[in-house]
Amino acid sequence: MSLGVILTVALAAAMPPADPPAAIQGVTRYPASFFAPASPTTAYDMVTRLPGFTLDLGANVRGLAGAAGNVLIDGERPVEKQDGLDEILKRIPAGQVLRIDVIRGGAPGIDMQGKTVLANVIRRQVRKPTGVIVLAGVTANGHGVIWATRDQIAATVGKVALEGSLFAGRNYDDGSGDGVRIARAADGTLIGAGKETSLGLGDLYKLTFAATAPVASGKLHLDSSFTSSPYDYHQHDTLAPAGEAFEHDHQTQKTGEAGLSWERALGPTVKLETYLFEQLGSSIYTSDLADSGSAVTLIGSGATSHYLLAKKTSESIARATVTWVPTTTLTIEAGGEGDFNWLRDHTFYIQDGAAQFIPAANVVVTETRGDGFVSATWQARKNVTLEASLRGEISRIGSSGDVEQSKVLGYPKPRAVVTWSPGKSDQIRLRVEREVGQLNFDDFAASNAPVSSGGLHVGNPNIRPQTDWVVEGALDHRFWGGGDVTLTVRRMWLSDVIDRIPVITPEGDFDAPGNIGSGSETDAALALTLPTDKIGLTRGLLTGQGTWRWSRVTDPTTLAPRMISGQHPLDAELHFAQGLPRLKTTWGFDYFAQWRQTNWRFAEIDTDKLKPYLQLFAEYKPTADLSIRFEADNFLRHGFEHGRQVFTGPRNSDPLAFEDVRSVHFPRIFYLRVRKTFG
């Protein structure tokens, strides 16, 4: 993809720029007519066609301050975390979207949520009841047909707006499949070779409800959801000269949450926003393995093993923000957030009928955290915007059970962004910020890796948050009325990098997450939006993006430099869609390049590769309220490869014992969806 992007950028640079849609103080407005040539079905289809915009679903972290994505709905952020931005956008019919505003670099009166680019979906005022019914079927070669349905309704009763939806369905895990497995000793001797067959199936049941009403001279909004997502995975390995392994993994996960927001104008220039949020969750994961022959050698466990991880979580948040707009060119915001979170985790492992020791197997983790901020956005000149903010957080994290400890952490988080628009079609953004990562509670206890992954990965309650100083520059050029190319380069200086470390105990040595010191990272991201009318494909749009990463840390075992564990050196994707009005059809493709990641453990190196993925689609809309979509997913029958280099002990002193490589391919998936809109 990179060569095509380079050629396209060169072509775009050679063309004279065209005036983009109307822009007001850093806000570019795209009316519904801008998206009409593609016949979008939902707001999600429209957002993914925005020039120079890449959808960010937000981070899966505790609290609201760092979890926000980069899309607002009618100027507000959804007060939910389990219900993703993409799912919310897919529930909004395209016919209900009046326009979408893209805010680049900040603008007075806009809460940027810590992002440099935001999209604001503005909906039409609809008084009559509306509804959507979706029925979808999925089949993969030899695996039968599975179904899914989504039903939703929206209505206004007096001054109260109500929305509800129900989703129920099943889907294939395309990371499973059939393939081969080969294991060799360090000298190349074949230990085992054979076939692997695996199949993963996941169910999803989700109920959502939302309401908006005028309350106490303001607007009250409720978001709530309940999600149940059971998952089953079966794997069978047949290895020669002798060996066979059966594995069954099962997970049940349930999450319920409710978010309440209330906003009110305190005067002509002051606005108050408050948020309350509560989430409760529970999950049980089990992995059972039965081995024989050479399979035992590769897995490194006994003939039978049973692993169980059970956990319960809770998150409670209260947040308030005051926004003051003293002039048309200045916005000042101040606010704070308080969080209380807890995790109860129980891990159990049996090998050949005997319970095994696991460090930090039974842990209760609690966190009390406060986050305060003050920020200002100033339109210094017509084409220059300055944003500055100072955030600070302080938290107390404690653990009890197998590990008794408590610690208090505090960090200042300054941020500054300068945006300069030298012309109507160009913008330059510069950001300097101190970023503070958030501790993952799952790192405090043993992970839920399948037993067959080889060895147990335990928890580490002594971990500290990763921090960095980042300098980022972005160059944004708009062309051809709806085209855009953006180059972003960032440099990060890292401290307390979170990676993998050895945990040495009298009962054995284990792998765990932990801090490994300082490091650095450089990223380069290129995003392209190219209308294809000028190259002969009318009503077509080509979008692509790629992110290259170069990181450097010191391996805690070998003391040699390497990348950060689990990081992708390259993520790249390419999308094309073309509207064919005479046929009432939109067709296109989605392509995702191969990614690779490596995890360096103290006695093992694991490398995963997900091969290229291609999806072809066509959507027929015989009427404005009916659409029929067909997809041929996984058209290339992409493979997933998991490789393990296992050493006899620490990698710095002990030799390689064997290499184990699994390579599986999932068949093509065919998907049919019928969507009917009412009202």
Side-chain angles (χ1 to χ4, degrees), residues 461-484:
N462 296 312
I463 202 167
R464 295 178 63 84
Q466 178 174 305
T467 65
D468 67 70
W469 279 99
V470 57
V471 176
E472 177 185 273
L475 173 62
D476 188 351
H477 174 66
R478 296 187 290 279
F479 58 93
W480 292 358
D484 187 282

Side-chain angles (χ1 to χ4, degrees), residues 443-455:
D443 288 343
F444 282 61
S447 64
N448 59 344
V451 173
S452 63
S453 65

Side-chain angles (χ1 to χ4, degrees), residues 331-408:
T331 298
I332 299 174
E333 291 183 311
E337 179 178 303
D339 305 347
F340 178 72
N341 314 285
W342 56 260
L343 163 72
R344 294 190 180 99
D345 191 289
H346 173 67
T347 307
F348 190 60
Y349 183 48
I350 297 177
Q351 182 175 305
D352 291 337
Q356 303 296 304
F357 170 78
I358 305 174
N362 301 283
V363 177
V364 177
V365 183
T366 60
E367 177 190 43
T368 304
R369 182 162 53 89
D371 192 317
F373 75 94
V374 59
S375 66
T377 303
W378 177 38
Q379 192 84 31
R381 300 181 62 179
K382 185 177 181 180
N383 61 348
V384 177
T385 302
L386 306 176
E387 178 195 348
S389 67
L390 178 61
R391 297 176 180 269
E393 70 171 55
I394 186 169
S395 62
R396 180 187 180 277
I397 298 179
S399 62
S400 58
D402 288 352
V403 179
E404 298 280 349
Q405 71 170 34
S406 177
K407 56 188 172 185
V408 176

Side-chain angles (χ1 to χ4, degrees), residues 43-257:
Y44 177 83
D45 302 329
M46 302 168 80
V47 166
T48 55
R49 293 179 66 90
L50 286 169
F53 181 81
T54 301
L55 179 61
D56 177 0
L57 302 179
N60 184 21
V61 296
R62 300 177 302 281
L64 295 175
N70 62 349
V71 175
L72 306 177
I73 310 295
D74 295 324
E76 300 177 0
R77 63 177 296 173
V79 195
E80 273 208 278
K81 302 174 74 175
Q82 188 70 18
D83 199 18
L85 266 178
D86 53 345
E87 293 301 318
I88 294 173
L89 292 169
K90 288 175 182 178
R91 293 201 297 266
I92 302 175
Q96 292 183 10
V97 178
L98 176 65
R99 71 174 192 273
I100 301 179
D101 295 345
V102 177
I103 305 100
R104 294 180 173 87
I110 303 294
D111 180 5
M112 295 299 292
Q113 313 283 325
K115 311 295 182 181
T116 55
V117 181
L118 273 184
N120 185 15
V121 178
I122 309 298
R123 294 182 289 186
R124 304 178 189 273
Q125 295 295 322
V126 179
R127 303 296 300 179
K128 60 182 180 180
T130 61
V132 176
I133 295 179
V134 179
L135 181 64
V138 181
T139 184
N141 294 353
H143 294 305
V145 178
I146 54 180
W147 301 93
T149 182
R150 182 196 302 275
D151 306 288
Q152 63 190 68
I153 188 170
T156 300
V157 181
K159 295 182 178 181
V160 180
L162 304 172
E163 297 179 44
S165 72
L166 171 65
F167 179 90
R170 170 172 287 188
N171 207 349
Y172 293 109
D173 177 0
D174 62 1
S176 59
D178 300 339
V180 297
R181 182 177 180 187
I182 299 175
R184 297 183 182 276
D187 61 1
T189 303
L190 185 67
I191 298 175
K195 296 182 179 180
E196 175 176 308
T197 60
S198 61
L199 179 64
L201 285 171
D203 294 332
L204 177 63
Y205 307 97
K206 177 181 284 188
L207 178 67
T208 69
F209 174 76
T212 304
V215 174
S217 302
K219 182 171 67 174
L220 186 70
H221 182 76
L222 168 68
D223 282 313
S224 61
S225 70
F226 174 78
T227 302
S228 175
S229 51
Y231 173 80
D232 267 290
Y233 175 85
H234 293 268
Q235 178 178 312
H236 177 206
D237 289 0
T238 303
L239 299 171
E244 195 171 22
F246 296 89
E247 180 180 350
H248 175 219
D249 303 333
H250 177 74
Q251 183 172 21
T252 58
Q253 186 165 333
K254 298 177 181 179
T255 306
E257 64 181 29

